[in-house]
Amino acid sequence: MYFSDSNKQNTSYWIGGNDIEAERHFVWVGTGSDLAYNRWYPGQPDAASYKQDCIEMYGRDNFEWHDVGCEAKNYFIYETK
Ligand SMILES: [Ca+2]
């Protein structure tokens, strides 16, 4: 993916992982399977100051992953068959 610097900083994507069922146990929403791969930003997941159950690719951190509140307004990426 390519974004200009200004776009990149304002762009984050949902990738369909969450730990809604069990805190700190992240799974993919489609299959319920564990994350076989991850690209967490250093220090993440941190469940910082409020409930952070969903995974986003965070533009400001080079699209590395953050756990964040699921109510955030992000773009999304999904897999089709
Ligand atoms: Ca976080």
Side-chain angles (χ1 to χ4, degrees):
M1 284 185 286
Y2 172 80
F3 296 97
S4 68
D5 285 347
S6 60
N7 284 339
K8 182 176 173 179
Q9 290 190 353
N10 293 315
T11 307
S12 293
Y13 290 85
W14 294 127
I15 55 172
N18 69 69
D19 72 344
I20 292 170
E21 289 291 323
E23 188 65 21
R24 295 283 171 153
H25 181 194
F26 285 91
V27 297
W28 295 119
V29 67
T31 61
S33 57
D34 292 350
L35 310 181
Y37 164 88
N38 72 70
R39 195 176 162 204
W40 294 112
Y41 185 73
Q44 300 292 328
D46 65 351
S49 57
Y50 59 96
K51 197 164 174 59
Q52 299 187 333
D53 281 347
C54 288
I55 303 173
E56 67 176 8
M57 291 171 61
Y58 189 54
R60 287 185 180 144
D61 288 333
N62 202 30
F63 298 102
E64 294 191 311
W65 300 2
H66 283 247
D67 61 331
V68 66
C70 301
E71 71 283 357
K73 288 181 169 44
N74 286 339
Y75 297 96
F76 56 90
I77 295 170
Y78 66 97
E79 182 180 28
T80 60
K81 294 185 176 179

